Amino acid sequence: MILVLVDHDRGEIDPLSLRALTAARKLSQEIHAVVIGSDGAGVLNIVGEYGAQILHVASHAAITDYTPMASGRALSELVEKLKPAAVLAAGSPRGNEQLAHLAAFMDIPMAAECSEITLGSPHHVLRARWAGNLIESAHVHSELLIATVLSFSTEPQSINGPAATLAQFQPELEPADTVVKILSRSSGESKGGVTLIDAKVIVSGGRGVGGAEGFANLEELATLLGGTVGCSRVVTSSGWRPHAEQVGQTGTKVAPDLYIAAGISGAMQHIAGMKNSKTIVVINTDPEAPILRYADYAIIGDLHQVIPALTSAIRQAKE
Amino acid sequence: MDVLVCLKRVPLAGGTLILTPDLRDIETKHLGFGISPHEENAVEAGVQLVEQMGGTLTLLTLGPSDAEEQLRSQLAIGATRAVLIETDGQEWDPQGTAAALVDAIKAEETKFDLIIFGAESADSAGYQIHIRMAHALNLPIVTNVKSMKVENNIVSCDRVVAYGREHYEAPLPAIVTVRDGLNIPRYPSVPGRMAARKKTVDVRKAEARVPKLEKVTLALAPSKDKGAEILGKGPDAVPALVEVLKQIGAF
Ligand SMILES: Cc1cc2nc3c(=O)[nH]c(=O)nc-3n(C[C@H](O)[C@H](O)[C@H](O)COP(=O)(O)OP(=O)(O)OC[C@H]3O[C@@H](n4cnc5c(N)ncnc54)[C@H](O)[C@@H]3O)c2cc1C
Ligand SMILES: Nc1ncnc2c1ncn2[C@@H]1O[C@H](COP(=O)(O)O)[C@@H](O)[C@H]1O
């Protein structure tokens, strides 16, 4: 049996968890899902659709919202009781965090961000390193496998299964388990309504833009196309743009319809954040820039000339 | 306030990766070394806290003797001293690393008020060393922090999520793991570099354990060259691009 941690935020399921359920079905027909917090019980139907037969709901008066260490404790008690062959979760910040707590409680290994899992003795996994640029083949030496599923390695597939059967349980928590939890939330500040994640068009600038002022031209083009501005890490660490606009491994991962990369060389950590864009256009003075390998179209030239010319040409064409 | 930052020496790979013939590591002959951006933010946060509140900032790493280079360059931005747990150069698994770092912290005379980590390491990205250490040291831990402040013996932190921010607090002593964007790490000054040469780096040896998460081999992720269509040079190529943008319905 495979136990899958299904993550939710105040009852709303994290869609990445459906990928974890799909990945679990490759390992066993017998799938149990678990949600932490009584407000997660509403996922009964959807986890059933994705192949879980039983949904365990860990309820406790002290778990009123996301409480990662308590999740780890609850999972460890459930594992003790059910003896699954593996515990899986989505390779998301929360999935990785809660399973790391489980692994720490049990003092056994955990393999994060796996694209392939084979149960055995030892277990074998393929896992992402270097923002997915390297794939590690690893053995996991423990009876129980604890692993998170690399987000985009598995497409979620429903089997239209019936609603899962509800199984309530109350974990026995220690006071230390509930010290760290979400105390409050605030909504993000979005400028002009378009955020990096939702934008259909991103005009992104790198070191080649040369300074904070240079971004005015990129802003103008982005606004004209109904999009927003992104940037590379050199730009944020130079203080030219806020970190919220950084695209890449340690910034935001985006997949707009159109990504225009101006003055960006294409370091793998930047590519990791934008390679899934539908159309990629590059403006770069260097015909050898690595980013060209990922681009659909390119103009070789100085962005300070090309971008203003592009903006006025689009304006004309729109009239 | 006594702060500890844990960091890891990693190759500074930017463009294409090349593997060693045994496929177990990245070929680093032509690469420089550094630490993850997250950990640069961790050190900057530590320096700022000690500037504001007084106290000490200690750096801790487990790695080859060459990792002294990374410790010295971070000492140059204002840390007080550093500890290097020296290995034979092989990367250790997360459980072994966490256990050795916990031993090192327990052996320190200083009782640290705050221990800061990167959210994940740049190379292996195991997402767990800090959480294992929080359990072993009986400390509360807040992860993935994008802004934080310390007041009245409480560290209060924000985590950025899709819809905005989540707020967390933990009483000190505590562990916090931070993300790129927390602050803008400063560059070392020339006097800073000079001072760093005289600062103490305590080196201790450690025995490797049998790894439970055992790296067997590495492979490059397949990446296909899209074979970009070059539309031309300079502003002369703009009309061709406008056509493309029209075709894909960008405006
Ligand atoms: C663990 C880790 C995580 C990282 N995370 C990220 C991340 O999330 N996002 C990120 O972006 N980086 C990240 N980086 C940094 C990354 O490795 C690169 O350093 C960075 O992406 C380079 O930024 P750049 O392309 O703007 O600058 P450069 O590499 O310096 O490239 C500048 C480019 O501009 C071109 N150019 C110069 N002048 C002009 C001009 N006038 N017109 C047109 N083109 C011009 C040049 O030909 C060159 O190609 C990370 C690094 C590490 C180690
Ligand atoms: N060898 C090491 N020495 C000291 N700290 C480390 C080491 N490896 C990882 N860390 C710390 O633990 C964090 C998480 O690492 P990881 O669990 O590998 O993702 C890193 O960002 C570092 O702050």
Side-chain angles (χ1 to χ4, degrees):
Chain A
M1 186 269 283
I2 312 294
L3 181 64
V4 179
L5 170 65
V6 170
D7 194 48
H8 68 97
D9 191 64
R10 292 161 291 173
E12 198 174 313
I13 192 166
D14 172 14
L16 293 180
S17 296
L18 301 177
R19 296 173 190 254
L21 281 167
T22 308
R25 292 207 312 266
K26 291 189 197 142
L27 304 179
S28 168
Q29 293 305 308
E30 204 189 331
I31 311 289
H32 290 202
V34 50
V35 288
I36 313 295
S38 49
D39 52 349
V43 305
L44 208 60
N45 289 323
I46 185 141
V47 300
E49 270 173 47
Y50 282 79
Q53 293 98 32
I54 298 182
L55 174 68
H56 301 273
V57 180
S59 315
H60 191 288
I63 305 179
T64 49
D65 201 335
Y66 183 63
T67 313
M69 194 178 274
S71 300
R73 177 80 70 183
L75 289 169
S76 72
E77 291 171 6
L78 203 56
V79 162
E80 202 59 40
K81 204 160 71 188
L82 303 173
K83 306 254 184 288
V87 182
L88 304 187
S92 62
R94 283 189 176 189
N96 287 325
E97 177 173 44
Q98 294 172 95
L99 290 205
H101 276 291
L102 169 65
F105 273 122
M106 299 188 68
D107 195 24
I108 64 171
M110 159 172 120
E113 309 281 334
C114 297
S115 56
E116 230 178 270
I117 296 170
T118 314
L119 296 178
S121 178
H123 308 293
H124 179 249
V125 298
L126 296 181
R127 59 175 298 267
R129 282 187 171 233
W130 283 104
N133 289 283
L134 280 187
I135 299 164
E136 171 185 354
S137 159
H139 287 154
V140 188
H141 300 274
S142 60
E143 205 178 312
L144 172 72
L145 175 69
I146 300 180
T148 64
V149 177
L150 182 64
S151 316
F152 295 102
S153 64
T154 312
E155 282 304 312
Q157 268 170 9
S158 159
I159 52 164
N160 293 317
T165 310
L166 198 68
Q168 296 274 359
F169 84 105
Q170 185 174 349
E172 275 175 42
L173 303 178
E174 298 285 328
D177 300 340
T178 52
V179 169
V180 173
K181 56 177 181 253
I182 295 181
L183 297 174
S184 62
R185 293 179 167 80
S186 53
S187 54
E189 42 312 320
S190 83
K191 47 171 180 62
V194 188
T195 61
L196 205 52
I197 291 184
D198 309 322
K200 293 248 180 299
V201 177
I202 296 175
V203 181
S204 205
R207 193 199 301 269
V209 177
E213 321 74 49
F215 274 88
N217 286 335
L218 278 72
E219 290 256 13
E220 201 180 338
L221 177 58
T223 309
L224 189 60
L225 293 172
T228 191
V229 167
C231 65
S232 73
R233 180 159 194 273
V234 168
V235 169
T236 53
S237 59
S238 308
W240 302 345
R241 301 295 293 187
H243 187 271
E245 291 178 5
Q246 180 177 316
V247 172
Q249 178 181 352
T250 55
T252 306
K253 293 195 174 58
V254 299
D257 291 342
L258 173 63
Y259 189 87
I260 302 182
I264 295 175
S265 65
M268 62 180 184
Q269 297 90 356
H270 187 82
I271 301 294
M274 47 64 81
K275 65 178 173 205
N276 294 321
S277 308
K278 229 185 246 163
T279 303
I280 297 175
V281 174
V282 162
I283 303 168
N284 200 304
T285 43
D286 178 6
E288 305 287 326
I291 194 158
L292 287 170
R293 289 204 306 268
Y294 302 89
D296 300 283
Y297 303 96
I299 293 182
I300 307 304
D302 183 348
L303 67 94
H304 299 291
Q305 295 170 4
V306 174
I307 289 190
L310 181 59
T311 306
S312 56
I314 293 172
R315 257 207 200 103
Q316 269 175 17
K318 273 187 156 184
E319 273 164 14
Chain B
M1 161 133 188
D2 293 307
V3 182
L4 178 80
V5 173
C6 291
L7 41 92
K8 182 181 188 185
R9 172 184 165 93
V10 294
L12 286 176
T16 340
L17 291 168
I18 301 171
L19 298 178
T20 53
D22 66 2
L23 301 180
R24 289 182 53 85
D25 286 292
I26 296 175
E27 181 55 76
T28 54
K29 257 185 251 162
H30 307 290
L31 296 178
F33 284 82
I35 59 175
S36 158
H38 300 318
E39 292 153 33
E40 289 177 12
N41 294 109
V43 177
E44 175 64 35
V47 171
Q48 286 182 15
L49 282 171
V50 168
E51 277 172 356
Q52 288 158 19
M53 310 177 70
T56 61
L57 172 61
T58 305
L59 308 176
L60 172 62
T61 193
L62 176 136
S65 60
D66 286 342
E68 187 174 337
E69 193 190 320
Q70 280 60 54
L71 293 174
R72 294 270 173 215
S73 67
Q74 297 302 315
L75 284 168
I77 80 158
T80 318
R81 57 182 277 273
V83 179
L84 168 61
I85 309 300
E86 192 184 322
T87 64
D88 61 356
Q90 295 294 317
E91 189 185 66
W92 288 20
D93 84 335
Q95 279 174 286
T97 305
L101 293 175
V102 164
D103 288 346
I105 290 172
K106 287 186 172 160
E108 287 288 305
E109 267 168 41
T110 313
K111 293 287 156 255
F112 299 105
D113 301 295
L114 186 65
I115 307 181
I116 315 179
F117 288 80
E120 75 267 356
S121 53
D123 58 346
S124 59
Y127 297 91
Q128 56 189 277
I129 285 169
H130 28 60
I131 291 177
R132 291 184 185 280
M133 291 174 65
H135 284 242
L137 295 166
N138 282 317
L139 296 176
I141 176 167
V142 185
T143 65
N144 284 295
V145 167
K146 213 53 176 282
S147 70
M148 86 177 170
K149 65 172 195 277
V150 174
E151 249 170 27
N152 306 323
N153 266 325
I154 288 173
V155 58
S156 72
C157 314
D158 277 359
R159 180 154 157 169
V160 171
V161 289
Y163 58 78
R165 285 166 178 269
E166 295 168 348
H167 184 68
Y168 297 81
E169 290 179 4
L172 300 185
I175 296 182
V176 164
T177 88
V178 301
R179 295 200 70 81
D180 190 12
L182 178 81
N183 50 39
I184 300 183
R186 67 195 78 180
Y187 289 109
S189 62
V190 175
R193 268 187 244 249
M194 302 288 281
R197 281 196 221 148
K198 298 203 193 76
K199 290 181 180 170
T200 315
V201 175
D202 287 325
V203 181
R204 288 177 217 140
K205 296 254 191 234
E207 285 302 315
R209 305 183 177 198
V210 179
K212 295 204 174 144
L213 177 61
E214 183 196 1
K215 174 171 75 178
V216 182
T217 50
L218 298 176
L220 300 176
S223 82
K224 46 179 188 301
D225 191 331
K226 276 185 157 181
E229 181 180 339
I230 309 289
L231 298 170
K233 288 206 170 132
D236 293 347
V238 162
L241 180 53
V242 171
E243 272 316 303
V244 167
L245 297 185
K246 243 190 231 160
Q247 265 170 33
I248 64 169
F251 68 89

